[in-house]
Amino acid sequence: MLVQPIMDNASLAGAFEEIATLKELQGEDGFRSQAYRNTARRLETLTQDAAELVRTGTIKDQISSLGKSQLEVLGQLVSQGSSDLLNDLRARTPPGHLQMLKIAGIGPKKVRALFQELGVTTLPELASACETGKVAALKGFGAKTQAKILEGIAFVTTSGQRVRLDQALFLATALLTRVREFPGVSRAELAGSVRRRRETVKDIDIVATAESPTELIAAFVSWPGVRSIAGQGETKASVVLEAESSTGRLSLGGRLTINADLRVVSPSQFPFALNYFTGSKEHNVLLRQRAQARGWRLNEYELEGHTEICTDEADIYKALGLAYVEPEMREGTGEDSAAEAGKLPSLVKSSDIRGVFHNHTTASDGADTLEAMALAARELGLEYLGIGDHSQSLTVANGLTPDRVRQQWNEIDALNARLKGITLLKGTECDILPDGSLDFDDALLAGFDYVVASVHTHFGQTREEMTERICRALEHPMVTMLGHATGRLLLRRDAYAVDLEAVMKTAARTGTMIEINANPMRLDLDWVHCRRARELGVLLVINPDAHSREELAYFTHGVDVARRAWLTAAEVYNTKSVQEVLADLALRRKQQPV
DNA sequence: GCCGTTTTCGGCCCGACTGTTTTCAGTCG
């Protein structure tokens, strides 16, 4: 039997991205490769299964810019798992050339020159060519370029990768504070993917106004934490920051290296610069096209041709006939037409969250006691705190036996009687065993207020096995919500193989919630699938998966994901009050007799 | 590679910075 290759949207996007890059390296016209790159972006953010749309011949309804060539590539990728064009390009391009592109200041033209003039195909060969002075002698290169390439090779091989949002946000906020405190700075904001709250970012962007741009820029490049200066001009500076990484439970720690850019503009330019540098690139293109259609030109300084003054971003959107688009929605995925039609959702906010369900205590693998967690939750302004310690089979995490579960219930009852202003809920993070059954029997499960069901073992199952396993758990009447649906750890471990579309459809049918695991190492569901879940009518719930008091605040990262998925407060379960939640959970129990 | 209310070819978003050049190409965002 022929096995159908599984090309999910991310794999298809990866293939198109690679085609675009390889075409550039082959010296093809930039607009041709851009066409493939645009398709990659659309595939990344497509909420439906692209392979299925290709099979049913309806993909062009979703990605209208597909022509004959790209449709053929898509068709081959879906039916064969590979594409003639991609294979051909790969065969003609040394793999080292892709790595060389990661060096700052090196683009496709320089890679080609290095290959044609010096025959360089790998990073070590490039390093050696630099060390022997051959690179500096090339036309268009020089001593400085050669030195930068050597630095770049060291940077690429040691770090220079994407950074988790929470880590970047921590540094970015500190940097922003310094900028705002600098004399003569009246406005300063974070921009770029940090402001849009992407789950991982490549650099930090700050836009500011200053009475003396030169002084601000000079100060910026000399602040503590700046390891090197990548560029310094009249209006912009670019530096490499180095700092101790945070050491959260799932973090590897170590040093963190990230680029930071500062742009200084005049007060009247500020809203345009902030908007431009917030992006995304795709969103900017949509705005520019709208400006063009009105006979204006939009750039990072002004809306040329438009006479009314814009003092903030909302004025720009208004001028373009749009409602204000929150940064998290600026991904070029239909926010322009929604804004034009006045159909943008009112996004959920962190202040809407009134409780959380998936948290651990010292009873399993948490760092803080039940009471300490309860007090910390109250301090955060939450009305309820659900405890979801691990279940018995997860011995590595000190999973609770039924006896210890009952003991915890007694402690919760006692604390609820004693503590004011916070209600503890009895939950469990119950393992989904390899066959899809649950780690506790139904009689015990019936005693909880709710059940979070999660996969922690046997990640190597086939996609079919894993999908069936999770769906079976969702069918279980006692399961309230699915924990971290894909098991991924950002920048560390890929998701296990699972058909999320099938999982989400099952959840929609059974009324089971899906968690947005807000631990910044996970953010699982991711925002794209979260948006699909919303389309399918799945109720979502934001959980910090806190293993300590401090980690309770992680729920804000989940709110960021929810906002990127266009979720309103009504579509997130834990915006309900404690009374509503208690009533709803009781109702769910009654409808599902054991 | 794709597109079309100046349509089937010419244009596609646009400016800053760098390093090399001596007026600009390449890179980046």
Side-chain angles (χ1 to χ4, degrees):
Chain A
M1 192 185 81
L2 265 177
V3 180
Q4 185 84 349
I6 293 157
M7 294 295 281
D8 59 19
N9 292 6
S11 322
L12 291 170
F16 271 74
E17 181 70 36
E18 191 178 345
I19 289 173
T21 307
L22 292 172
K23 273 181 172 290
E24 280 178 343
L25 285 170
Q26 289 296 324
E28 278 204 38
D29 170 41
F31 290 109
R32 291 187 173 207
S33 70
Q34 193 57 42
Y36 283 90
R37 190 154 279 132
N38 288 339
T39 301
R41 291 292 88 74
R42 291 287 294 115
L43 285 165
E44 264 172 18
T45 54
L46 190 66
T47 56
Q48 295 156 63
D49 185 36
E52 190 55 35
L53 297 174
V54 170
R55 280 191 281 269
T56 56
T58 52
I59 187 72
K60 209 168 154 43
D61 299 343
Q62 297 299 317
I63 309 178
S64 58
S65 61
L66 288 172
K68 190 161 163 280
S69 306
Q70 296 195 66
L71 279 173
E72 191 187 332
V73 172
L74 260 182
Q76 287 184 357
L77 286 170
V78 168
S79 63
Q80 306 162 20
S82 68
S83 128
D84 294 342
L85 174 64
L86 179 56
N87 293 338
D88 178 55
L89 285 165
R90 278 179 178 164
R92 288 195 285 145
T93 320
H97 284 184
L98 287 169
Q99 292 174 281
M100 284 159 66
L101 285 180
K102 292 183 180 152
I103 300 169
I106 295 285
K109 302 268 171 61
K110 286 208 160 77
V111 172
R112 273 175 70 74
L114 289 163
F115 177 59
Q116 286 168 346
E117 303 297 322
L118 300 174
V120 168
T121 57
T122 66
L123 285 184
E125 284 172 16
L126 178 57
S128 140
C130 288
E131 280 154 7
T132 52
K134 287 181 189 157
V135 171
L138 289 182
K139 184 164 185 273
F141 292 74
K144 282 194 176 178
T145 306
Q146 181 171 274
K148 276 186 86 170
I149 290 176
L150 271 177
E151 257 179 58
I153 292 173
F155 188 68
V156 163
T157 47
T158 57
S159 54
Q161 302 304 311
R162 294 190 79 85
V163 168
R164 289 200 326 259
L165 174 64
D166 61 307
Q167 300 178 311
L169 200 52
F170 179 75
L171 289 176
T173 309
L175 206 55
L176 179 65
T177 304
R178 287 193 89 104
V179 170
R180 284 184 171 160
E181 286 171 353
F182 194 79
V185 171
S186 54
R187 295 178 86 174
E189 294 289 345
L190 297 178
S193 46
V194 173
R195 182 166 181 237
R196 300 201 313 281
R197 299 292 196 265
R198 275 199 58 169
E199 52 208 12
T200 62
V201 302
K202 224 174 68 188
D203 52 23
I204 293 168
D205 289 287
I206 294 178
V207 179
T209 65
E211 280 170 20
S212 169
T214 322
E215 280 174 37
L216 174 60
I217 284 171
F220 178 78
V221 300
S222 64
W223 278 338
V226 171
R227 190 181 82 176
S228 63
I229 303 169
Q232 182 180 0
E234 300 271 304
T235 63
K236 105 168 230 197
S238 192
V239 299
V240 179
L241 287 181
E242 195 173 64
E244 284 306 323
S245 157
S246 67
T247 49
R249 188 179 133 273
L250 293 173
S251 160
L252 293 175
R255 291 191 81 74
L256 180 72
T257 309
I258 187 168
N259 288 298
D261 291 349
L262 171 69
R263 268 129 183 140
V264 189
V265 296
S266 74
S268 68
Q269 293 168 337
F270 185 82
F272 298 99
L274 177 61
N275 186 249
Y276 182 88
F277 291 113
T278 296
S280 66
K281 208 183 285 182
E282 292 74 24
H283 180 77
N284 286 356
V285 168
L286 293 173
L287 294 189
R288 277 162 193 277
Q289 285 169 345
R290 291 188 71 87
Q292 252 187 351
R294 286 163 172 71
W296 305 329
R297 282 160 62 89
L298 180 64
N299 59 31
E300 58 261 57
Y301 304 120
E302 60 175 342
L303 183 51
E304 197 185 312
H306 178 69
T307 48
E308 281 170 53
I309 290 171
C310 294
T311 56
D312 56 36
E313 281 189 310
D315 295 334
I316 304 173
Y317 286 94
K318 194 176 164 202
L320 295 173
L322 299 173
Y324 177 69
V325 180
E326 299 280 1
E328 294 93 332
M329 285 191 282
R330 300 181 194 171
E331 293 294 338
T333 58
E335 68 274 16
D336 56 326
S337 40
E340 181 169 35
K343 288 186 176 160
L344 285 175
S346 171
L347 299 182
V348 62
K349 304 182 297 291
S350 284
S351 56
D352 294 328
I353 301 297
R354 302 170 75 166
V356 287
F357 294 94
H358 175 183
N359 305 289
H360 300 266
T361 71
T362 46
S364 63
D365 60 348
D368 286 305
T369 62
L370 200 51
E371 179 162 5
M373 292 292 280
L375 295 176
R378 189 174 67 182
E379 189 68 23
L380 274 176
L382 298 178
E383 296 174 19
Y384 48 98
L385 173 70
I387 299 303
D389 273 316
H390 289 291
S391 57
Q392 55 187 341
S393 77
L394 206 64
T395 49
V396 290
N398 195 21
L400 275 62
T401 60
D403 281 345
R404 293 180 60 216
V405 166
R406 291 189 200 94
Q407 189 188 328
Q408 188 178 60
W409 289 347
N410 289 334
E411 290 172 32
I412 289 177
D413 287 337
L415 276 171
N416 274 338
R418 184 154 62 83
L419 293 180
K420 299 282 167 259
I422 185 79
T423 301
L424 292 174
L425 302 178
K426 296 168 188 162
T428 172
E429 184 182 20
C430 185
D431 257 58
I432 303 175
L433 302 176
D435 67 353
S437 63
L438 296 178
D439 196 21
F440 286 138
D441 64 33
D442 288 357
L444 186 70
L445 290 176
F448 289 103
D449 291 321
Y450 65 92
V451 173
V452 184
S454 305
V455 166
H456 291 109
T457 60
H458 297 81
F459 287 8
Q461 286 182 326
T462 65
R463 181 174 153 105
E464 289 70 29
E465 287 168 342
M466 186 62 86
T467 306
E468 207 179 310
R469 173 184 182 184
I470 294 175
C471 287
R472 187 176 160 207
L474 293 178
E475 299 277 1
H476 194 290
M478 285 299 157
V479 171
T480 321
M481 56 187 78
L482 173 66
H484 45 71
T486 77
R488 73 163 177 180
L489 294 178
L490 281 168
L491 306 174
R492 268 181 61 194
R493 182 176 79 201
D494 282 342
Y496 39 67
V498 61
D499 180 355
L500 271 183
E501 179 77 9
V503 166
M504 292 190 288
K505 280 181 173 154
T506 303
R509 181 168 46 77
T510 59
T512 315
M513 295 174 228
I514 295 185
E515 161 185 282
I516 299 173
N517 189 296
N519 185 304
M521 279 298 285
R522 293 187 183 271
L523 303 183
D524 180 15
L525 280 185
D526 66 54
W527 66 279
V528 174
H529 287 103
C530 189
R531 202 166 157 194
R532 178 59 177 161
R534 175 189 193 238
E535 287 174 5
L536 292 170
V538 177
L539 185 57
L540 292 143
V541 55
I542 295 171
N543 283 321
D545 195 358
H547 286 72
S548 68
R549 285 171 292 178
E550 295 76 20
E551 291 181 5
L552 281 169
Y554 278 171
F555 73 83
T556 58
H557 298 300
V559 173
D560 290 338
V561 174
R563 289 170 64 84
R564 288 178 60 79
W566 297 33
L567 292 182
T568 64
E571 290 160 332
V572 176
Y573 187 68
N574 40 335
T575 59
K576 291 182 188 297
S577 69
V578 63
Q579 292 85 1
E580 289 171 313
V581 161
L582 286 171
D584 180 80
L585 290 176
L587 196 64
R588 284 169 179 262
R589 302 268 113 170
K590 258 187 211 157
Q591 286 169 342
Q592 320 277 13
V594 179

